Amino acid sequence: MHPLLVEGLSDAVGFVGGALAGFWLARLLGFDPFAEGYDGASVLAIAAVGLGGGMGLGAARRWRRARQAERKER
C-alpha cells in the first residue's frame, strides 16, 4: 500500500476514533456537546471531543513510527 495512503487512513481512523471516544466519555460523565446554548458542560464536552481526536491522531502517528522502525530493523 502506498505510504501516503497509509498515513492518511491511519490519521483519519485515529482522529475519528479518538473523537468518538472523547464524545462517549463526555456523555458517560453527563456532558452533552449538542446541548442548546454554550454552558460550561457543553463546552467541556466539546473540549473532550477535541482532545480525544488529538490523542487519537497522536496514537496513529506513534503507531506509524513504530511500524517504520520495525521495518528498518528487518
Side-chain angles (χ1 to χ4, degrees):
M1 195 181 304
H2 196 278
L4 291 177
L5 181 61
V6 171
E7 180 178 353
L9 287 176
S10 64
D11 280 354
V13 168
F15 179 80
V16 171
L20 284 172
F23 171 80
W24 287 112
L25 180 63
R27 293 288 297 167
L28 181 70
L29 296 173
F31 303 120
D32 186 9
F34 299 118
E36 189 172 332
Y38 288 108
D39 60 352
S42 64
V43 171
L44 186 62
I46 292 168
V49 171
L51 287 171
M55 289 172 53
L57 181 60
R61 290 180 178 177
R62 282 190 302 275
W63 173 78
R64 274 198 321 271
R65 269 188 255 127
R67 191 169 171 237
Q68 287 174 347
E70 186 178 289
R71 283 186 176 179
K72 287 182 181 179
E73 289 177 359
R74 291 182 191 175

